[in-house]
């Protein structure tokens, strides 16, 4: 099977498994797991941020950040297709007691002007706006990427209005590679950043939350309350360390593969609107009868799995378990339609 449904379907390689088996571990709730401590330190240094916290999932790192940056009754600003809003089970209300003001951005990307217009005035009728969350790359935006300049402008609006700025960077490394940006630039712009190790970086589990020392101290308490305090977590943190060493630069290959698939699709009459392919995600519209479901069924006959994300839209995601040869097969299957 060639699984293009998501980059979360990657399985740990033999080399990754070996470092996991060999990891030195301790009880991380006591702060005594040397491998977790090493991962947190490495991530913080990479981004030039003060501290980091290893968590089981990106949903947890996002939700902890939202909890730490807000008070119940506050309002959070984000794009209407952002993961925190549509894919985290209503967690903003459930965990933080906050409401959301959504922005209709372009491919999940919002602007400083959007943010400025969404901030509530200091008025007893209005919820207190306290947090802005950006997503880079934008998942439902088809792996869309921000320009540094645009984030800097958003940061300026946040600072002028006393708002915190959080980044859902589940696929931030894809953006860094595609746009030739650096982790340090991001560390300077955001109050907190969430990165996932279990997407394109290929670990079986794990996300990291980054921020100031006080913020991470508070975040560690919230992680415990949510049941996310793990014990000998070094076995999975070791996979993260391996991934940061070995699996970042190779994301360029995934991006190249995605462009190859996009090209094959654009040669076909059944392909409707396609979002610009900037990283490892392809989202396009199927014009042929049967729509997205029929397309995915047909691909499955070639042992290729794709994800229908609406009646007419299909998503394909390239990742480190999809080889050159597999891309050749996908391109051939599309050409044969
Ligand atoms: C995958 C993802 C997350 C986190 O998901 P988990 O499955 O909880 O790790 C957060 N944001 C975006 C944009 C994602 O794609």
């Amino acid at each position: 099977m060639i699984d293009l449904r998501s980059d979360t379907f990657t399985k740990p390689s033999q080399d990754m498994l070996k470092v996991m088996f060999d990891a030195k571990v301790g009880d991380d709730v006591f702060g005594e797991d040397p491998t977790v401590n090493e991962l947190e330190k490495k991530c913080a240094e990479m981004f030039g941020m003060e501290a980091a916290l290893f968590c089981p999932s990106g949903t947890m790192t996002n939700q902890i950040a939202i909890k730490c940056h807000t008070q119940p009754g506050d309002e959070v600003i984000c794009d209407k297709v952002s993961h925190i809003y549509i894919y985290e089970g209503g967690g903003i209300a459930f965990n933080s007691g906050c409401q959301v003001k959504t922005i209709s951005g372009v491919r999940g990307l919002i602007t400083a002007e959007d943010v400025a217009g969404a901030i509530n005035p200091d008025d007893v009728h209005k919820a207190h706006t306290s947090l802005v969350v950006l997503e880079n790359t934008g998942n439902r935006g088809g792996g869309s990427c921000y320009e540094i300049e645009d984030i800097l402008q958003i940061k300026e609006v946040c600072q002028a209005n006393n708002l915190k700025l959080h980044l859902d960077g589940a696929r931030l490394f894809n953006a860094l590679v595609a746009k030739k940006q650096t982790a340090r630039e991001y560390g300077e712009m955001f109050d907190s950043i969430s990165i996932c190790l279990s997407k394109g970086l290929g670990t079986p589990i794990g996300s990291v939350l980054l921020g100031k020392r006080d913020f991470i101290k508070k975040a560690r308490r919230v992680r415990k309350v949510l049941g996310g305090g793990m014990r000998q977590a070094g076995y999975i943190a070791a996979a993260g360390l391996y991934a940061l060493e070995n699996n970042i630069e190779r994301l360029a290959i995934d991006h190249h593969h995605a462009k190859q698939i996009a090209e094959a699709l654009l040669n076909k009459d059944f392909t409707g609107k396609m979002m610009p392919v900037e990283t490892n995600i392809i989202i396009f519209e199927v014009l042929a009868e049967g729509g997205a479901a029929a397309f995915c069924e047909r691909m499955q006959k070639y042992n290729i799995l794709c994800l229908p994300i609406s009646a007419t839209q299909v998503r394909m995601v390239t990742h480190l378990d999809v080889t050159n040869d597999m891309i050749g097969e996908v391109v051939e299957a599309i050409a044969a339609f």
Side-chain angles (χ1 to χ4, degrees), residues 209-330:
L209 180 62
L210 299 136
K212 289 222 183 324
R213 205 165 281 109
D214 283 355
F215 169 86
I216 292 297
K217 187 174 174 207
K218 200 167 154 191
R220 198 174 289 279
R221 171 177 281 276
V222 176
R223 184 186 70 174
K224 189 75 183 79
V225 173
L226 295 178
M230 300 180 285
R231 302 296 177 177
Q232 285 71 35
Y235 291 115
I236 51 177
L241 284 165
Y242 178 89
L244 292 172
E245 289 287 340
N246 297 284
N247 292 347
I248 295 178
E249 275 142 46
R250 64 151 306 289
L251 291 170
I253 299 169
D254 300 342
H255 301 167
H256 178 61
H257 285 163
K259 288 203 169 75
Q260 286 176 282
I261 293 175
E263 229 170 83
L265 284 167
L266 288 170
N267 280 332
K268 304 303 282 191
D269 289 341
F270 66 76
T271 302
K273 252 188 255 154
M274 182 187 287
M275 288 182 176
V277 177
E278 293 192 66
T279 51
N280 68 328
I281 301 178
I282 304 139
I283 293 180
F284 69 100
E285 205 182 5
V286 180
L287 298 176
E289 207 174 301
F295 175 87
C296 294
E297 256 168 53
R298 173 131 188 205
M299 290 296 270
Q300 197 159 354
K301 295 208 174 91
Y302 292 91
N303 292 327
I304 299 163
L305 299 179
C306 311
L307 194 70
I309 56 169
S310 75
T312 56
Q313 282 179 305
V314 173
R315 185 181 89 162
M316 298 192 212
V317 186
T318 56
H319 52 75
L320 83 178
D321 286 352
V322 180
T323 62
N324 268 326
D325 289 350
M326 291 177 181
I327 293 296
E329 283 180 50
V330 173

Side-chain angles (χ1 to χ4, degrees), residues 147-209:
E147 300 293 340
I148 295 285
E149 188 48 43
D150 294 333
I151 302 175
L152 283 172
Q153 284 175 13
I154 292 171
K155 176 188 158 77
E156 226 171 85
V157 172
C158 289
Q159 282 182 329
N161 291 279
N162 222 358
L163 310 180
K164 296 293 185 202
L165 184 58
H166 172 71
L167 175 66
D168 177 354
R171 294 190 181 82
L172 180 59
F173 290 106
N174 292 89
L176 296 185
V177 168
K179 305 290 285 184
K180 302 195 185 335
Q181 300 165 344
T182 66
R184 291 251 162 179
E185 287 175 287
Y186 278 81
E188 280 173 19
M189 294 190 289
F190 288 91
D191 293 294
S192 56
I193 297 177
S194 156
I195 55 168
C196 287
L197 303 167
S198 59
K199 299 262 164 90
L201 295 194
T203 75
I205 178 173
S207 292
V208 178
L209 180 62

Side-chain angles (χ1 to χ4, degrees), residues 6-8 55-62 81-84 87-88 134-140 168-171 194-199 205-207 281 315:
S6 176
D7 45 8
T8 54
C55 292
S57 72
T59 299
M60 190 181 280
T61 43
N62 280 334
V81 295
S82 46
H83 194 280
I84 57 157
Y87 291 138
E88 298 189 6
L134 306 185
E135 187 175 308
N136 197 18
T137 68
N139 182 344
R140 281 300 299 251
D168 177 354
R171 294 190 181 82
S194 156
I195 55 168
C196 287
L197 303 167
S198 59
K199 299 262 164 90
I205 178 173
S207 292
I281 301 178
R315 185 181 89 162

